[in-house]
């Protein structure tokens, strides 16, 4: 359990600093590069040779200058030097280009590998991670972070050839003239200064700028999803103003960053020119004089090389930021890669046995956050083929139970079994193959309606899909949509109505034909008629499957053979409809307040029925409603309260008149619920009435 | 026709791109002049180098020589100052442009009617607002900035080389048929356009690749975001592996495109042109020195001028790609901005609308626009109804019946395709959307709350609301109690990580938000579905009080609301099925009876109603 909480909590998106050492991150990066060993090796050799060529070609120019200056040269020598120069140049162009060409695939391949790796980890990551992060932010782990890595790889590869170039150039300078080599080093303090400035101030500005930019992006994303509300309340201008502030801030940081960048380039060049001046000065004094120790060609070489010397260093300084950025990206990626999954197949996991069925919770305790138990010692059993309903107020823990059965999380204590197999010993694949959940919030993928429904069962034919849709009453509306079954679902179905979305998720699950079915408020957005259709379909298709039904609406739990009542993470009541109604408990209260409001015409009518029931219970006069054939248990239960027969209705009206009006008012104010005291008064009133 | 469209698209994308620069023409002009001067300042040391070497070889290490060295150093400093100013000017102009472009883009999006937001994926809009605008800016600065500098350098180098051709020894050194050939000039005059032409072709080649790469990136983003949002569904169906496979395919394709684009950077032909130019100049110069018509100093100058151009080989390809790519991005932006909105605001607004008066749907037909534009499915078809002033209306019907659509038309989020919606006899088309929305309040079906405090979310309905009014609205919406229990009460942030509200709580906040707006017409779209019965009852009482004498329309699945309404409207598949008060409908409408029967508790009511017209 410990790693579950430890893992995701630390996946903080806006970490100020890296938490891993540069060495480790580099090693990891190079580790990925290792998968492309051959390519990288070839590229490295090419790059080495290419660099050597670029170091040599100024030498040719030097010779030439010295030769023509010596004036002893022939045209042939000049020509051969020119040809040599051309050959060297073209060769190094070919080498460098091949290098880029080859590396392009390695670089892209590496990014792809990291992408796939990160994606795989994220798909398997703990649900609590996905719950706590915005999906856009999770996505950026896969997209922008890996992209930043790509740039870094380029930089690292370039880095080695740049280093080589610097070293080669310096050696060349040294062999030409140690004093010029030493003179050229005057540029180093300047370069170091710039690099340092970038490492410190630049880094900070860049971070600030990126954050400000992220805030703008987050705000735009949010405002776009809420655009209908902004319009409905005429708040477009205010939202625009708020964005403007963030935008201004982003501009401010961006500007500072760019100024730094714009300052760097001319500074580097200027330093380079100062280096040229210095070399010219020192070199000049060596060329002149009586004992000339330097040729003009060598001086020219020195001047050229100082410039050569500058560029790779400038490049390195530039790359330093890129490498920094990509190391930061690697660090964020490492968070994902290193996180241990809490939920994995244990080594001795086995598939779910064909005859394992039914669900059992044994003393299950669970919390999302330490110290706040959401489920407290929950024990229950759903027998094979039975339907059990779970009811309770919002936040009671119903959805959590469903999540645990799906093994999205493991319980802190206790265990959950299917048949006699502990979920922890079952292969996840086979668990989910046998179990289906209709989640509380319908979710649809981008794609056609058919694709969405087929999600649960890739082998299903179009006819089967149509059949199931017809059965639940979805076919009607799908067929009249613009492209029927091929209508593209956009952004979680924003082009469908709320009820249509829910119908599609129901069709999807029914098509999957699971052995065990879990419905979490699956029909909450449907009208009564459509719900009845769905229930009938369920009756036909899943009557003998193990089913758990979670519902606010009590019509939905009609077919349950047992009801579990949750309150505050514990089961407070359990039993059949009738049993629970007999008890004067939570369920009864829920039930009554529900019908009081679904309810009939005047509140008094319900009061009367309840009153009547009170009387019949206490007065020994058992209410025996005439139940019409085919009525389901829920309706039966309802009827017993409301008075399902004409005979009852008469009595209700009769008794209603006997209740004192102020009592009715009082009960009405209480939202239709009755306290024991009220019950007592009703009974009293009724008895008084009877005596008259 | 097709082409015509294309060219207009082109020119406006072009204008969009340069709009940033055109906004401050003098700054940019000044920056351009400075760019040319600093390119000159940077080229001069190469010339001075030649002179210095000449002095060295003839006169030796003299003060003249030292002066030249100092000149180089001073030029370096001047260059630094000047180019910094150039950078500053460009930064100010382009970054301001980026800021304003983003702001304008966002405001334009907000201005578009809901039809726009239905058709275009918001993920795509976000990526355009952030990435595409950013890329356009990058194409101006650094790309265009560096390109102008490079071109200036080419030009100045060319000028210097031409000047060398005019040195006394060289004129007439090589002649063809009696005419002197200025070889350096020829090299530059042929070489430079060649270089630029190849560079242009190179940049063009990247366009299709860049376009598909951007699109593939969008796919990649939306595929992974889709999966992460629906991760529970993916898990519940055990589809992890097939999702991974799907991603593999998409990312492999992306890899191919990245590789392609990366390979374009290799074999940068223009570099060969430059090599050719240098070699020729080297050969010709060397030959001239041998022939004694050119001194070594000038040769070094020529060579170092050409060599410093080679520095651009490094940068130019990237900058050209950026510029060309930025144009693609600008096209994408302009395409969105040019979207034609079917909803128009009236030029002259109808005043004096009594919002408490009758609402009439007069033969209204409406269909949503779909992305591929072939939607012939009417969400509402020939829908006519009169809602008398001040009535409480209930709307019922099956999924997709058109209930939410009726409400959206009343809020003028859309205009009907045919027929009209009138309030107090005034067609809503003649009222500005903002006026309509001031008087009509909506609690939507899928609640959206902003990432703000509870108080700010409620006050969203009326920004001037005082703390007392907010609390009052919350109390009416039965939200006060749970808000008080939140860690920071009315100042608790919602939507942030860790702070999640249950469905019922969200709905009550949304109701408070609508109440505080004090609308003349209130629309509730199934907005108590997640509220428990007891609370709902109190809520309805409070609402009835607020809405006394005003009209309210409620979409509902609950029996009680039907019974308590003055008018029940039933729709199915976009058509009006029945309308009337509950009792009448029970008697006259078969469809209504059918739905009603399914409602819990209906059994008893039905028993009391005499059946008419042979139902059952
Ligand atoms: N991912 C989560 N992280 C932390 N707490 C959570 C998380 N999901 C739910 N909770 C909390 O756990 C409790 C139980 O939530 P659950 O979703 O199981 O309730 P529920 O009974 O399904 O309610 P509803 O009827 O509203 O769906 C609530 O207090 C909720 O705030
Ligand atoms: N933004 C949209 N783009 C395209 N089609 C839409 C859009 N919104 C709704 N529709 C379609 O219009 C029809 C009417 O939808 P509407 O949302 O009005 O139904 P509803 O009666 O509110 O249903 P529910 O009870 O499910 O909320 C449906 O067929 C739906 O698919
Ligand atoms: Mg739930
Ligand atoms: Mg709706």
């Amino acid at each position: 359990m410990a790693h579950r909480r430890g893992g995701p909590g630390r996946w903080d998106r806006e970490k100020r600093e890296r938490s891993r050492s540069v060495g480790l991150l580099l090693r990891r990066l190079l580790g990925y590069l290792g998968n492309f060993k051959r390519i990288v090796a070839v590229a490295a050799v090419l790059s080495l040779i290419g660099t050597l060529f670029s170091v040599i070609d100024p030498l040719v120019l030097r010779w030439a200058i010295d030769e023509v200056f010596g004036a002893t040269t022939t045209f042939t020598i000049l020509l051969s030097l020119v040809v040599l120069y051309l050959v060297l140049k073209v060769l190094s162009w070919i080498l460098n280009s091949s290098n880029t060409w080859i590396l392009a695939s390695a670089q892209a391949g590496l990014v792809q590998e990291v992408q796939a790796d990160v994606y795989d980890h994220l798909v398997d990551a703990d649900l609590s991670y996905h719950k706590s992060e915005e999906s856009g932010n999770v996505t950026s782990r896969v997209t922008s972070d890996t992209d930043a890595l790509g740039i870094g790889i380029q930089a690292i590869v370039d880095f080695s050839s740049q280093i080589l170039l610097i070293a080669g150039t310096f050696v060349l300078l040294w062999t030409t003239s140690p004093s010029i080599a030493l003179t050229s080093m005057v540029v180093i303090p300047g370069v170091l200064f710039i690099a340092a400035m970038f490492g410190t101030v630049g880094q900070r500005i860049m971070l600030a700028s990126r954050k400000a930019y992220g805030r703008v992006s987050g705000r735009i994303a949010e405002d776009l999803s809420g655009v209908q509300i902004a319009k409905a309340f005429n708040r477009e201008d205010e939202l625009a103003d708020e964005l403007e502030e963030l935008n201004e801030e982003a501009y401010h940081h961006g500007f500072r960053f760019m100024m730094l960048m714009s300052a760097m380039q001319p500074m580097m060049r200027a330093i380079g020119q100062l280096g040229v001046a210095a070399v010219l000065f020192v070199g000049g004094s060596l060329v002149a004089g009586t004992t000339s120790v330097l040729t003009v060609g060598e001086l020219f070489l020195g001047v050229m090389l100082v410039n050569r010397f500058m560029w790779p260093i400038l490049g390195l300084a530039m790359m330093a930021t890129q490498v920094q950025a990509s190391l930061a990206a690697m660090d964020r990626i490492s968070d994902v890669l290193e996180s241990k999954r809490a939920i994995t197949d244990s080594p001795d996991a086995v598939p779910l046995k064909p005859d394992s069925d039914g669900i059992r919770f044994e003393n299950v305790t669970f919390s999302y956050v330490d110290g706040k138990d959401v489920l407290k010692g929950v024990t229950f059993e759903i027998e094979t083929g039975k339907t059990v309903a779970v009811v309770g107020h919002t936040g009671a823990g119903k959805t959590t139970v469903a999540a645990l059965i799906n093994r999205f999380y493991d319980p802190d204590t206790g265990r959950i079994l299917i048949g006699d197999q502990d979920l922890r010993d079952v292969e996840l694949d086979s668990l989910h193959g046998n179990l289906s959940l209709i989640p509380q919030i319908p979710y649809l993928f981008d794609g056609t309606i058919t694709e969405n429904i087929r999600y649960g069962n890739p082998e299903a034919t179009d006819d089967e899909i149509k059949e199931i849709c017809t059965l639940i009453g979805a076919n009607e509306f799908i067929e009249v949509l613009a492209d029927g079954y091929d209508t593209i679902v956009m952004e979680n179905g924003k082009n469908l109505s709320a009820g249509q979305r829910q119908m599609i998720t129901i069709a999807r699950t029914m098509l999957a034909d699971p052995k065990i079915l879990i419905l979490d408020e699956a029909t909450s957005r449907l009208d009564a008629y459509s719900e009845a259709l769905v229930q009938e379909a369920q009756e036909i298709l899943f009557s003998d499957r193990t089913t758990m039904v979670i519902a606010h609406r009590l019509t939905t739990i009609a077919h349950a053979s047992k009801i579990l009542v949750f309150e505050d993470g514990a089961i407070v009541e359990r039993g059949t409809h009738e049993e629970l109604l007999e008890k004067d408990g939570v369920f009864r209260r829920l039930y009554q307040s529900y019908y009081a409001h679904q309810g009939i015409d005047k509140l008094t009518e319900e009061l009367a029925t309840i009153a009547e029931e009170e009387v019949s219970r206490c007065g020994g006069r058992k209410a025996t409603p005439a139940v019409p054939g085919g009525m389901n248990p829920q309706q039966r239960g309802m009827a017993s309260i409301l008075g399902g027969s004409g005979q009852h209705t008469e009595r209700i009206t009769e008794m209603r008149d006997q209740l004192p009006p102020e009592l009715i008012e009082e009960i009405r104010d209480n939202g239709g619920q009755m306290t024991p005291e009220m019950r007592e008064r009703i009974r009293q009133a009724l008895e008084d009435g009877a005596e008259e | 026709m097709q082409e015509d469209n294309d060219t207009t698209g082109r020119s406006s994308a072009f204008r969009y791109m340069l709009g940033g620069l055109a906004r401050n023409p003098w700054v940019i002009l000044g920056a351009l002049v400075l760019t040319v001067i600093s390119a000159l300042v940077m080229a001069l040391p190469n010339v001075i180098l030649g002179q210095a070497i000449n002095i060295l070889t003839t006169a030796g290490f003299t003060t003249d020589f030292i002066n030249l060295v100092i000149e180089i150093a001073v030029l370096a400093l001047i260059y630094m100052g000047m180019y910094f100013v150039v950078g500053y000017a460009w930064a100010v102009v382009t970054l301001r442009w980026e800021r304003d472009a983003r702001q304008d883009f966002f405001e334009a999006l907000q201005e578009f009617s809901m039809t726009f937001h239905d058709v275009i994926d918001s993920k795509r809009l976000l990526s355009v607002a952030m990435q595409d605008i950013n890329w356009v800016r990058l194409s101006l600065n650094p790309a265009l900035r560096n390109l102008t500098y490079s071109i200036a350098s080419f030009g100045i180098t060319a000028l210097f080389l031409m000047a060398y051709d005019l040195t006394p020894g060289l004129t007439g050194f090589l002649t063809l048929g009696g005419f002197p050939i200025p070889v350096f000039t020829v090299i530059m005059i042929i070489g430079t356009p060649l270089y630029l032409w190849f560079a242009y072709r190179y940049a063009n080649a990247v366009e299709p690749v860049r376009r598909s790469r951007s699109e593939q990136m969008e796919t990649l983003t939306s595929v992974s975001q889709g999966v992460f949002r629906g991760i529970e569904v993916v898990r519940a169906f055990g589809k992890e592996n097939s999702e991974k496979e799907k991603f593999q395919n998409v990312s492999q394709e992306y890899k191919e495109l990245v590789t392609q684009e990366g390979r374009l950077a290799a074999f940068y032909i223009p570099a060969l042109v430059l090599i050719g130019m240098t070699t020729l100049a080297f050969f010709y110069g060397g030959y001239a020195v041998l022939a004694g018509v050119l001194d070594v100093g000038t040769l070094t100058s020529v060579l170092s001028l050409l060599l410093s151009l080679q520095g651009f080989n490094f940068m130019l390809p990237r900058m050209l790609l950026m510029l060309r790519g930025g144009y693609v991005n600008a096209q994408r932006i302009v395409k969105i901005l040019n979207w034609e909105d079917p909803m128009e605001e009236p030029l002259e607004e109808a005043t004096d609308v009594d919002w408490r008066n009758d609402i009439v749907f007069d033969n209204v037909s409406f269909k949503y626009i779909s992305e591929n534009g072939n939607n012939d499915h009417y969400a509402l078809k020939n829908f006519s109804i009169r809602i008398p002033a001040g009535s409480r209306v209930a709307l019922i019907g099956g999924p997709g019946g058109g209930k939410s659509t009726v409400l959206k038309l009343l809020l003028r989020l859309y205009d009907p395709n045919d027929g009209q919606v009138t309030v107090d006899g005034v067609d809503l088309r003649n009222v500005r959307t903002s006026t309509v929305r001031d008087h009509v309040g909506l609690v939507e079906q899928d609640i959206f709350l902003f990432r703000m405090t509870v108080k700010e979310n409620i006050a969203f309905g009326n920004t001037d609301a005082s703390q007392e009014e907010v609390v009052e609205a919350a109390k009416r919406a039965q939200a006060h109690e749970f808000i008080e229990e939140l860690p920071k009460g009315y100042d608790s942030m919602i939507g942030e990580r860790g702070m999640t509200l249950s469905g019922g709580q969200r709905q009550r906040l949304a109701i408070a938000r609508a109440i505080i707006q004090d609308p003349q017409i209130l629309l509730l779209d199934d907005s108590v579905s997640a509220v428990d019965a007891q609370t709902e009852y109190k809520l309805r009482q409070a609402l009835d009080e607020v809405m006394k004498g005003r009209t309210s329309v409620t979409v509902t699945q609950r029996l009680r609301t039907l019974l308590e309404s003055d008018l029940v409207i039933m729709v199915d598949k976009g058509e009006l099925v029945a309308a009337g008060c509950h009792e009448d409908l029970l008697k006259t409408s078969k469809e209504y009876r059918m739905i009603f029967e399914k409602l819990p508790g209906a059994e008893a009511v039905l028993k009391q109603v005499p059946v008419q017209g042979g139902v059952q």
Side-chain angles (χ1 to χ4, degrees), chain B residues 161-379:
Chain B
L161 292 189
M162 288 175 193
Y164 284 132
D165 273 332
L166 299 179
T167 49
L170 274 185
T171 37
F173 172 57
L174 271 189
T175 51
L176 191 71
F179 287 105
I181 309 174
V183 178
F184 287 132
T185 312
V186 169
I187 291 177
M188 283 315 285
I189 282 178
I190 295 177
T192 306
L194 209 59
Y195 184 93
L196 292 179
W197 186 68
F198 274 115
Y200 175 76
R201 273 195 25 160
Y202 165 78
N204 267 347
V206 82
E207 200 220 291
V209 183
R210 165 63 72 89
R211 200 183 283 274
S212 0
R213 183 183 165 172
S214 298
E215 280 160 13
Q216 189 66 16
M217 188 65 186
E218 261 172 32
T219 318
L220 197 74
T221 308
S222 96
V223 162
S224 35
Q225 190 151 349
V227 165
F228 295 144
R229 275 203 194 154
I231 188 77
E232 267 171 310
V233 180
V234 175
R235 298 248 170 109
F237 285 106
K239 303 282 275 191
E240 289 96 330
N241 288 332
S242 79
E243 287 299 344
K244 286 177 192 169
E245 236 168 74
K246 214 188 285 172
F247 179 83
Q248 268 289 345
N249 296 338
V250 179
S251 77
Q252 286 289 352
E253 228 167 281
Y254 181 67
K255 180 187 100 170
E256 291 308 317
L257 291 169
V258 175
T259 311
Q260 268 182 41
E261 195 179 312
R263 288 191 171 157
L264 281 179
F267 300 106
Y268 178 61
I269 307 279
L272 278 185
V273 176
L274 205 54
I275 291 174
M277 286 160 69
T278 321
T279 314
L280 278 179
F282 175 29
F283 181 50
Y284 173 68
Y287 182 57
V289 176
L290 274 185
V293 290
L294 195 70
D295 51 52
V296 177
T298 313
L299 178 62
T300 23
S301 287
V302 169
L303 288 181
S304 65
L305 274 170
L306 282 171
L307 283 181
S308 58
L309 283 189
Q310 277 182 11
F312 295 123
N313 276 339
F314 227 42
M315 199 170 65
L316 269 177
R318 283 224 328 263
M319 297 300 148
L320 277 169
L321 292 190
M322 241 186 223
L323 189 65
R324 194 64 186 84
Y327 182 66
V328 174
N329 298 119
Q331 280 178 321
R332 283 159 51 98
I333 300 168
V334 166
K335 195 170 160 216
I336 289 179
L337 289 176
N338 284 347
W339 189 79
E340 267 176 47
D341 204 323
M343 179 180 272
E344 281 171 16
E345 294 282 12
L347 293 176
E348 222 167 292
E349 188 173 22
T351 45
D352 295 339
V353 183
D354 179 5
W355 292 92
R356 299 193 186 200
N357 213 334
D358 291 6
I359 302 169
V360 178
F361 278 74
D362 182 14
N363 208 17
V364 169
S365 294
F366 173 73
K367 59 183 176 187
Y368 292 96
I369 292 177
S370 73
E371 197 168 20
N372 50 16
N374 64 351
N375 190 0
D376 51 7
H377 159 58
Y378 279 89

Side-chain angles (χ1 to χ4, degrees), chain A residues 477 480-481 494-501 525, chain B residues 118 368-370 375 377-379 397-406 408 414 445 525-526 555 557 571:
Chain A
F477 75 74
V480 296
L481 289 178
K494 74 176 179 186
N495 52 345
L496 294 171
S497 85
Q500 292 173 333
R501 285 199 290 265
R525 289 150 182 243
Chain B
D118 286 344
Y368 292 96
I369 292 177
S370 73
N375 190 0
H377 159 58
Y378 279 89
K403 305 179 293 295
S404 304
T405 308
V406 168
K408 287 179 194 164
Y414 304 88
Q445 194 163 19
D525 196 349
D526 206 9
V555 174
Q557 313 293 358
V571 292

Side-chain angles (χ1 to χ4, degrees), chain A residues 127-128 131-132 366-369 372-375 390 392-402 409 440 520-521 550-552 566, chain B residues 498 500-504 530:
Chain A
L127 207 59
S128 38
K131 293 262 163 177
S132 64
F366 174 76
S367 58
Y368 289 103
V369 218
K372 194 174 161 242
D373 282 353
V374 172
L375 294 183
V390 173
H393 287 293
T394 32
K398 306 181 292 290
T399 301
T400 310
V401 169
Y409 310 94
Q440 190 163 13
D520 190 356
E521 298 278 10
I550 300 174
H552 262 309
F566 273 77
Chain B
T500 39
L501 296 178
S502 85

Side-chain angles (χ1 to χ4, degrees), chain A residues 248-261:
Chain A
E248 182 66 41
E249 205 180 306
Y251 163 74
H252 173 71
H253 289 296
F255 183 76
R256 295 208 305 170
F257 185 64
M258 181 166 279
M259 277 332 293
L260 200 69
M261 291 296 280

Side-chain angles (χ1 to χ4, degrees), chain A residues 250 264 382 404 428 558 575 642 691:
Chain A
M264 187 166 115
I382 304 178
L404 288 182
L428 281 167
L642 298 175
E691 274 161 25

